[in-house]
Amino acid sequence: MKPFFPSPGILPVSHWFRLGVLFFLTVVCAKQQFAQPVLPYRHPRQQGSAELLENIRKLQVVGSALYVAAHPDDENTRLIAWLAGERKLTTTYLSLTRGDGGQNLIGPEMGDLLGVLRTQELLMARGVDRGEQMFTRANDFGYSRHPDETLRIWNRDSILADVVWAIRKTRPDIIINRFDHRSPGSTHGHHTASAMLSLEAFRLAADPLAFPEQLAFVKPWQAGRIFFNTSWWFYGSQEAFQAADKSNLCAVDAGTYNVVRGMSYTEVAARSRSMHRCQGFGSTGTRGREPDYLEWLDGTPMPASVPESGGSPAWADPLTGMDLSWNRLEGGSAIAQHLARAEKMFNPDHPEYCVGELLMAREKMELLRSDPRIARKQAETAELIRQCLGLWAEAVAFSPHAVPGDSLKISLELVNRSSL
């Protein structure tokens, strides 16, 4: 048998030198490729001080946004990352389908199994950009030529009810559509249908006569504004976009740099979008200013703004005029004071120093539990207290199976890693 590597005498010394250099660079470069672990959605883990500080700041915002589109991977991860990270909103992506009708670039799963795969990829993406995820009952039956066909196959009223439910459940201050409701027949029928249903549900969600069976679990809700997340692509070309009237458009900077995380939201978004592996949607992050355009459709009008030179939309905040602080709730000002003091007292070496203020804030939240947004804030506060304490609790069963009446041996580990 011949040796896999030739003896040194077979190759000139210069060749061996080059191979040595190549080997050295391979080892060095491998060490420089820092691992970027992606934990399962909501996987419990101990956060570092930077994340704890961000979460204290997020607790001080009582607001949410709902992003609506048709399929997994339709969402704009840049805008979701910006809304969740920069504006600290509870940001939910409502995907009307689970992507069962698409293709698969990485495995044999198709149909229902592809829907399972793409669902998991969406959850992984939200774990990166820090959004939330919801679905409707709509079936991705493949390409549709027109929204009328789509809505007939979906059972329009059922999916409209699901969108209304999502709005009432998440109580968004703003809703953002990924697609244009005014373009039937020009693109995928699922896309146009998602925008049409969202725009209709924007008003219906506030109507107690619409889908009244839901009111046993949720209350009517009127979102403040609804937008279309447009871009030059929807205009046919960049030249057409530059020439279009943009008085109804505003721009937000999705490239904003988050100094606490050490990344821009476009970099966060690239990692999030790269979770859509079966669709081949991996991307690299960009840096610098990156506009995302929003066209106001309905709700509270945006303040008048003058487009920038060259016809570019004015930079504006889609949440202008909305109070997203605890002051929007009766009795919320006391909670806001405790949370502000918690942020002021935060010590990266001793995050437990702010736990007292967090406990008092959570206690006062109990008085406002009639508002469905408070239960979420209470849960977030409890988790933040646990994280600031470095508290670890884990129960491990010695057997994977048990039936009622059995005895089950469990090992419990409980550690408080703080000085409190």
Side-chain angles (χ1 to χ4, degrees), residues 395-402 406-412:
V396 179
F398 282 68
S399 171
H401 304 105
D406 276 357
S407 295
L408 189 62
K409 186 177 180 181
I410 293 176
S411 171
L412 177 65

Side-chain angles (χ1 to χ4, degrees), residues 31-76:
K31 289 184 177 181
Q32 295 301 316
Q33 297 300 313
F34 299 108
Q36 297 293 341
V38 177
L39 298 169
Y41 184 63
R42 292 194 179 280
H43 184 278
R45 65 182 181 89
Q46 180 59 42
Q47 297 174 346
S49 289
E51 289 180 285
L52 295 179
L53 178 59
E54 268 216 303
N55 287 335
I56 291 176
R57 291 171 176 170
K58 185 172 183 178
L59 268 183
Q60 298 174 66
V61 177
V62 186
S64 63
L66 183 67
Y67 196 93
V68 182
H71 310 103
D73 70 46
D74 280 345
E75 80 275 22
N76 182 344

Side-chain angles (χ1 to χ4, degrees), residues 15-30:
H15 286 223
W16 282 103
F17 175 78
R18 291 171 186 165
L19 286 172
V21 171
L22 178 61
F23 176 78
F24 172 79
L25 291 175
T26 301
V27 172
V28 170
C29 290

Side-chain angles (χ1 to χ4, degrees), residues 173-174 202-203 222-227 248 296-303 318-322:
D173 293 283
I174 59 172
F202 172 75
R203 291 296 183 187
Q222 180 60 66
R225 295 184 179 112
I226 184 168
F227 296 93
N248 216 26
W296 177 84
L297 299 177
D298 199 356
T300 305
M302 290 286 291
L319 298 149
T320 296
M322 298 181 181

Side-chain angles (χ1 to χ4, degrees), residues 31 33 45 149 160 225 280 301 333 363 400 418 420:
K31 289 184 177 181
Q33 297 300 313
R45 65 182 181 89
E149 175 191 45
L160 178 60
R225 295 184 179 112
S333 59
E363 184 178 349
S418 75
L420 193 64

Side-chain angles (χ1 to χ4, degrees), residues 186-378:
S186 64
T187 182
H188 196 327
H190 294 185
H191 293 169
T192 310
S194 71
M196 294 168 63
L197 292 173
S198 176
L199 191 62
E200 185 174 359
F202 172 75
R203 291 296 183 187
L204 283 180
D207 183 357
L209 299 180
F211 308 108
E213 68 280 359
Q214 297 180 0
L215 302 184
F217 309 97
V218 292
K219 296 180 180 179
W221 179 256
Q222 180 60 66
R225 295 184 179 112
I226 184 168
F227 296 93
F228 163 39
N229 183 198
T230 189
S231 71
W232 67 263
W233 187 88
F234 290 97
Y235 288 76
S237 68
Q238 293 192 6
E239 292 75 18
F241 179 66
Q242 289 299 322
D245 175 21
K246 303 182 188 63
S247 58
N248 216 26
L249 269 62
C250 68
V252 301
D253 184 9
T256 304
Y257 178 64
N258 185 319
V259 67
V260 176
R261 291 194 218 174
M263 287 190 292
S264 64
Y265 297 113
T266 45
E267 291 175 297
V268 174
R271 295 185 181 186
S272 172
R273 192 151 185 80
S274 295
M275 293 300 103
H276 295 296
R277 293 169 181 170
C278 72
Q279 303 303 298
F281 278 167
S283 61
T284 57
T286 60
R287 286 143 295 279
R289 182 174 265 198
E290 187 71 42
D292 247 303
Y293 304 113
L294 298 173
E295 179 186 353
W296 177 84
L297 299 177
D298 199 356
T300 305
M302 290 286 291
S305 59
V306 180
E308 293 189 340
S309 59
S312 297
W315 297 92
D317 183 357
L319 298 149
T320 296
M322 298 181 181
D323 184 2
L324 303 178
S325 72
W326 283 91
N327 295 327
R328 71 189 301 184
L329 303 174
E330 186 176 354
S333 59
I335 298 171
Q337 291 172 12
H338 286 302
L339 293 176
R341 283 198 289 267
E343 180 181 356
K344 188 175 181 179
M345 294 172 62
F346 183 78
N347 183 327
D349 293 321
H350 292 280
E352 69 270 20
Y353 289 175
C354 69
V355 164
E357 294 293 338
L358 293 175
L359 284 168
M360 286 187 281
R362 188 174 186 275
E363 184 178 349
K364 285 186 170 58
M365 290 178 194
E366 195 68 34
L367 303 174
L368 305 179
R369 281 191 64 85
S370 59
D371 190 304
R373 289 169 292 190
I374 303 307
R376 167 184 285 275
K377 288 299 180 182
Q378 277 193 307

Side-chain angles (χ1 to χ4, degrees), residues 63-67 83-84 89-93 132 170-176 319:
S64 63
L66 183 67
Y67 196 93
L83 289 166
L89 298 175
T90 299
T91 306
T92 303
Y93 173 41
E132 303 288 330
T170 62
R171 301 171 74 85
D173 293 283
I174 59 172
I175 298 172
I176 301 174
L319 298 149

